[in-house]
Amino acid sequence: MSDTLTLDVIGRRVTVNGEHATVRFAGVVPPVAGPWLGVEWDNPERGKHDGSHEGTVYFKCRHPTGGSFIRPKKVNFGIDFLTAVKNRYVLEDELEEDGKEQIVTIGNKPVETIGFDSVMKQQSQLSKLQEVSLRNCAVSCAGEKGGVAEACPNIRNVDLSKNLLSSWDEVIHIADQLRHLEVLNLSENKLKFPSGSAPLTGTFSALKVLVLNRTGITWAEVLWCAAGCPGLEELYLKSNEIFISERPTDVLQTIRLLDLSSNQLIDESQLFLIAHLPRLEQLILSDIGISSIHFPDAGIGCKTSMFPSLQYLVVNDNQISQWSFFNELDKLPSLRALSCLRNPLTKDDKDTRTTRQLIIAKIGQLKTLNKCEILPEERLGAELDYQRAFGNEWKKAGGHQDPDKNRLSEEFLAAHPRYQFLCLKYGAPEDGELKRQPLMLKNQLLTLKIKYPHQLDQKVLEKQLPGSMTIQKVKGFLSRLLKVPVSDLLLSYESPEKPGREIELENDLKSLQFYSVENGDCLLVRW
């Protein structure tokens, strides 16, 4: 940029030696002669002051060292969208080869042309583009009116993250020329939104995915943008210090995925403001600092009317330390998948398996936990172990083998809301089961009987096997013992407390402990 200045540079996004900043001042700064730009850096450690010089305040910064004065010629104000596309996607080597002189006939006259094929090939290349990535390409504006629509009308997916776009108006100037635009990423642009005006209708009529991570957008601005995106399905708002101040009405009604990660101002009460979005299937709440949640409209064993379509919830990197959090999640009617890594309750590596079992037992409809599928046999083992582990507590709280004589305390029901359901599903725990320790250490040895239902002449054996031993290794052990090929062996087991109830050990990669095999149980071997 030249050293001449105009006031319309205020608010513009710029780069200086690769560092991003916003222009806050343009003018002279006595006693040094010549024009200056006052900039506020995205990285406050890059600056030297707060916008003041020798006692005079020229502009203000959010950080005491966020500002600097820069000569205009050192500042890059960026390039237009179409220039950036050409820089990234036009194959210059091929175009240079086509730039030689050619003779074409126009009417009856031969005309010399230079680069005719080059222009045609360039236009062909751009018109075929459907996905464009211009991350960190210093895009600051749309450029010549109609230029984008003419050169690359078929673009559907645009990544404009970390550029120099300073206003939503410039975004509209670009998007208005991309009628097929479905995916738009504007992350890490500091955008100014129009105040008081209604959003344009039609510009984003085809848009399905909008990414606004680290843009500084407010919740009011989110709702303003959403009003212009009638078919929006995915919205990403990570790291914006968002405070959900009002309930969406007539906007975001088509949203299926909402990412609010790393917005530390969001709390439980704010989540209730978005709890009635009718199509919301995935909600990402990682690193928002949440520790508890309670659905006041649903009692013990009932489902909430909130988040009616929510199937996948992500609450990684939060402050969840109480099991009541998972009790409440069981109230979500459509929840099928949960990710809850790196929380105080789930951080202890020694108890990873136990923690997983307890979460599975507490959330009955869950199919996937931490991106790992919950197989039917894992659910069976988790629920049986849970029932046994808290059986004594259940009995002390008024639990009884006869359901008609159950007089459970409110305290127990609140801590274990699914326990009564599990008793109906599997039968009430008997005294013999309550003396066991089902959530055992991985290397604990199990004393097991081994029977052969189809070979009655075979002697019943008693062996000690590690609980961590896989079914595949158990089959290998039995194959050597019985001189029978591993591929011919079929294993199951039964518990003396539930005679006649046989559970198949069908997954060779799972352990005995996974299937809740315990001391005194009987392995049944067939071939």
Side-chain angles (χ1 to χ4, degrees):
M1 183 180 178
S2 69
D3 279 341
T4 59
L5 291 176
T6 58
L7 290 178
D8 64 359
V9 300
I10 305 298
R12 291 277 300 276
R13 297 282 292 159
V14 297
T15 58
V16 183
N17 297 325
E19 293 276 357
H20 287 66
T22 302
V23 178
R24 302 296 187 198
F25 167 82
V28 294
V29 183
V32 183
W36 293 91
L37 291 177
V39 300
E40 181 179 9
W41 300 100
D42 288 6
N43 175 13
E45 295 181 3
R46 174 68 174 78
K48 297 179 179 179
H49 51 71
D50 62 356
S52 303
H53 180 66
E54 294 187 355
T56 301
V57 178
Y58 292 91
F59 62 98
K60 293 183 179 180
C61 294
R62 288 169 295 179
H63 194 278
T65 61
S68 293
F69 291 108
I70 305 288
R71 289 296 191 187
K73 62 184 178 182
K74 294 184 178 181
V75 175
N76 175 18
F77 279 84
I79 58 177
D80 65 78
F81 180 88
L82 189 53
T83 299
V85 171
K86 290 178 179 178
N87 289 346
R88 175 63 65 91
Y89 291 98
V90 173
L91 304 179
E92 297 292 350
D93 292 342
E94 289 187 18
L95 299 185
E96 287 176 7
E97 291 178 10
D98 290 332
K100 55 190 178 183
E101 181 181 303
Q102 300 176 45
I103 306 295
V104 299
T105 301
I106 299 177
N108 294 321
K109 297 181 179 180
V111 178
E112 292 183 3
T113 66
I114 297 177
F116 186 81
D117 282 353
S118 172
V119 173
M120 295 297 291
K121 182 173 286 189
Q122 175 178 321
Q123 290 176 344
S124 175
Q125 281 179 272
L126 295 181
S127 66
K128 292 177 182 177
L129 285 175
Q130 292 191 14
E131 294 189 14
V132 171
S133 177
L134 299 176
R135 177 174 172 79
N136 204 15
C137 287
V139 176
S140 61
C141 61
E144 184 180 348
K145 187 175 182 180
V148 175
E150 183 179 350
C152 38
N154 294 311
I155 291 177
R156 284 167 165 76
N157 184 328
V158 178
D159 182 355
L160 279 170
S161 59
K162 204 171 185 180
N163 276 286
L164 301 180
L165 296 166
S166 56
S167 74
W168 190 253
D169 287 338
E170 284 300 335
V171 174
I172 289 175
H173 292 330
I174 296 170
D176 212 26
Q177 302 179 64
L178 301 174
R179 290 300 179 179
H180 303 293
L181 186 63
E182 296 178 356
V183 180
L184 178 59
N185 187 347
L186 295 168
S187 297
E188 299 176 81
N189 287 283
K190 306 297 182 184
L191 299 169
K192 183 179 180 181
F193 292 84
S195 58
S197 61
L200 290 177
T201 56
T203 300
F204 298 103
S205 59
L207 195 67
K208 295 180 180 178
V209 180
L210 180 58
V211 188
L212 294 168
N213 299 332
R214 300 182 185 87
T215 57
I217 193 170
T218 66
W219 185 247
E221 291 166 346
V222 169
L223 299 184
W224 184 89
C225 288
C229 306
L232 196 62
E233 295 182 1
E234 298 183 17
L235 180 57
Y236 298 83
L237 299 169
K238 184 176 181 179
S239 301
N240 281 305
E241 298 184 5
I242 280 177
F243 181 94
I244 301 175
S245 54
E246 58 183 299
R247 181 173 174 173
T249 53
D250 302 324
V251 295
L252 299 179
Q253 301 303 298
T254 57
I255 280 290
R256 297 182 183 276
L257 184 153
L258 181 59
D259 185 354
L260 293 169
S261 298
S262 301
N263 287 289
Q264 295 282 334
L265 298 178
I266 293 177
D267 60 21
E268 177 185 354
S269 62
Q270 293 175 52
L271 293 178
F272 293 154
L273 293 174
I274 59 169
H276 296 283
L277 293 174
R279 299 187 186 179
L280 184 61
E281 297 175 355
Q282 298 184 51
L283 181 59
I284 305 174
L285 299 174
S286 295
D287 186 35
I288 67 169
I290 194 170
S291 60
S292 64
I293 194 164
H294 174 63
F295 301 109
D297 66 327
I300 294 171
C302 299
K303 299 297 181 183
T304 179
S305 62
M306 299 183 186
F307 299 103
S309 301
L310 187 62
Q311 297 179 25
Y312 182 32
L313 176 64
V314 181
V315 287
N316 299 331
D317 302 296
N318 279 295
Q319 301 300 318
I320 301 165
S321 59
Q322 301 295 324
W323 286 110
S324 57
F325 187 93
F326 299 97
N327 292 340
E328 289 296 310
L329 294 188
D330 188 53
K331 296 178 180 180
L332 292 169
S334 302
L335 189 66
R336 298 294 180 270
L338 173 68
S339 184
C340 54
L341 301 169
R342 297 178 298 278
N343 279 278
L345 201 62
T346 60
K347 276 181 180 177
D348 191 347
D349 292 336
K350 297 176 184 176
D351 295 327
T352 298
R353 183 178 176 276
T354 300
T355 301
R356 180 177 172 86
Q357 277 188 306
L358 288 170
I359 294 172
I360 291 170
K362 283 180 172 290
I363 307 176
Q365 69 273 26
L366 213 57
K367 301 294 184 185
T368 304
L369 178 58
N370 296 329
K371 296 187 177 181
C372 183
E373 183 183 3
I374 301 169
L375 298 173
E377 56 265 30
E378 182 179 15
R379 175 162 292 285
L380 173 68
E383 291 181 342
L384 288 174
D385 275 359
Y386 178 79
Q387 197 180 17
R388 294 166 185 157
F390 296 97
N392 281 320
E393 209 174 307
W394 167 79
K395 195 171 181 180
K396 290 176 183 177
H400 198 279
Q401 294 284 333
D402 184 349
D404 294 333
K405 295 181 180 180
N406 267 328
R407 299 292 184 272
L408 286 170
S409 67
E410 290 185 9
E411 184 181 2
F412 181 86
L413 289 172
H416 306 280
R418 289 195 76 230
Y419 201 93
Q420 280 297 85
F421 171 79
L422 296 180
C423 288
L424 293 173
K425 185 176 180 180
Y426 300 113
E430 299 178 3
D431 290 344
E433 295 177 280
L434 304 186
K435 295 176 183 176
R436 302 183 175 203
Q437 298 297 325
L439 302 177
M440 54 194 165
L441 297 175
K442 278 189 175 181
N443 295 322
Q444 183 175 335
L445 291 176
L446 306 175
T447 302
L448 305 174
K449 291 181 180 179
I450 302 175
K451 294 182 181 179
Y452 318 94
H454 294 168
Q455 279 77 29
L456 299 178
D457 57 328
Q458 290 274 7
K459 184 180 178 182
V460 176
L461 297 178
E462 190 170 276
K463 294 287 184 182
Q464 283 192 323
L465 301 176
S468 58
M469 193 173 190
T470 64
I471 304 306
Q472 189 175 38
K473 290 183 178 179
V474 174
K475 285 182 177 179
F477 165 73
L478 292 170
S479 174
R480 293 189 295 273
L481 183 70
L482 302 169
K483 311 300 183 188
V484 176
V486 170
S487 58
D488 291 348
L489 293 175
L490 297 173
L491 300 188
S492 59
Y493 84 97
E494 62 180 6
S495 169
E497 274 75 26
K498 296 185 185 291
R501 179 170 185 170
E502 199 172 319
I503 297 172
E504 292 184 13
L505 305 176
E506 56 187 4
N507 191 330
D508 286 352
L509 301 180
K510 299 298 184 181
S511 66
L512 292 170
Q513 187 177 4
F514 175 86
Y515 285 103
S516 299
V517 178
E518 298 178 346
N519 272 320
D521 287 348
C522 182
L523 281 181
L524 304 175
V525 187
R526 296 179 175 88
W527 64 90

